Amino acid sequence: MYRVRVRSVPPVVLALRRFPNPRLTGIGAGLFASLVMFVLACVDRLLFDSSELVYGLLFLPVSALTALWVRPADLVTAPISVPIAFAVGVFPISGGSEGFGGQVMGLVTALAVHAGWLYGGTLVAGLIATVRKVRLMRARRRYVLAQGRGPADERAPRAAAAAPASSSAAKPVRAGAGTAAAARRPQRP
């Protein structure tokens, strides 16, 4: 008699499976990150008096979620949209003076001061997107190998099917005839 071995799934994995798993487009991921960072910056300004530490710590999970929730075709957009979202969100806590020039200077200063958090969140998004892309490429390769054909096997039937048709219709060619015919044809620029 055969025994079936049942693996028990750890409770952490079960809890993670209950979370939503949306697939955002590249633009959707950028809008999601920008909107969330702006709202979090406003909450940070109201509750924590524009704390850079709180804003930076909240930026890291938003970066991770953006990279996790972007669809596979748009993985390259995650590390690009995250710094833009950081810049959009830092505006409420930048603390510039009155006027347009003062606000811009406050924003530029805040971006320069928070560069560590900006690079950290971008690195998190880039690493997650890279790992996801590598896993997708491995899964695609496993699928192709499971089908029983590799990249060389795919090309072989096409070449074999084209060879008999071209060999029966081919005429014997004199040596050097191909170069003379090519010389007579006008060349495209």
Side-chain angles (χ1 to χ4, degrees):
M1 180 180 289
Y2 295 102
R3 291 184 183 178
V4 177
R5 187 176 179 187
V6 178
R7 291 185 192 175
S8 63
V9 180
V12 174
V13 174
L14 289 174
L16 288 175
R17 286 183 183 168
R18 283 185 241 141
F19 281 112
N21 193 17
R23 290 292 169 221
L24 302 170
T25 63
I27 294 173
L31 290 174
F32 161 75
S34 298
L35 181 66
V36 169
M37 287 312 299
F38 186 79
V39 168
L40 289 176
C42 291
V43 169
D44 179 24
R45 183 174 179 174
L46 291 175
L47 298 179
F48 301 107
D49 197 31
S50 300
S51 171
E52 297 107 10
L53 179 67
V54 172
Y55 182 75
L57 287 174
L58 291 173
F59 176 63
L60 298 177
V62 170
S63 300
L65 285 177
T66 302
L68 286 171
W69 286 351
V70 70
R71 67 183 185 167
D74 295 330
L75 278 173
V76 72
T77 62
I80 296 169
S81 61
V82 167
I84 296 169
F86 185 88
V88 168
V90 84
F91 183 72
I93 62 168
S94 63
S97 61
E98 295 297 321
F100 180 73
Q103 291 293 329
V104 169
M105 286 307 295
L107 182 65
V108 170
T109 303
L111 287 174
V113 170
H114 302 309
W117 292 111
L118 177 63
Y119 292 147
T122 306
L123 181 66
V124 166
L127 287 174
I128 291 173
T130 302
V131 168
R132 284 186 60 201
K133 185 65 175 179
V134 168
R135 289 183 68 199
L136 285 170
M137 289 168 49
R138 284 185 182 167
R140 187 176 301 135
R141 183 172 182 183
R142 256 186 254 122
Y143 175 75
V144 168
L145 291 175
Q147 297 297 318
R149 61 177 193 260
D153 295 337
E154 279 183 16
R155 285 182 242 139
R158 290 185 202 149
S166 63
S167 64
S168 63
K171 296 180 183 177
V173 179
R174 292 179 301 166
T179 56
R184 282 182 265 155
R185 275 188 243 132
Q187 299 293 324
R188 282 198 252 173

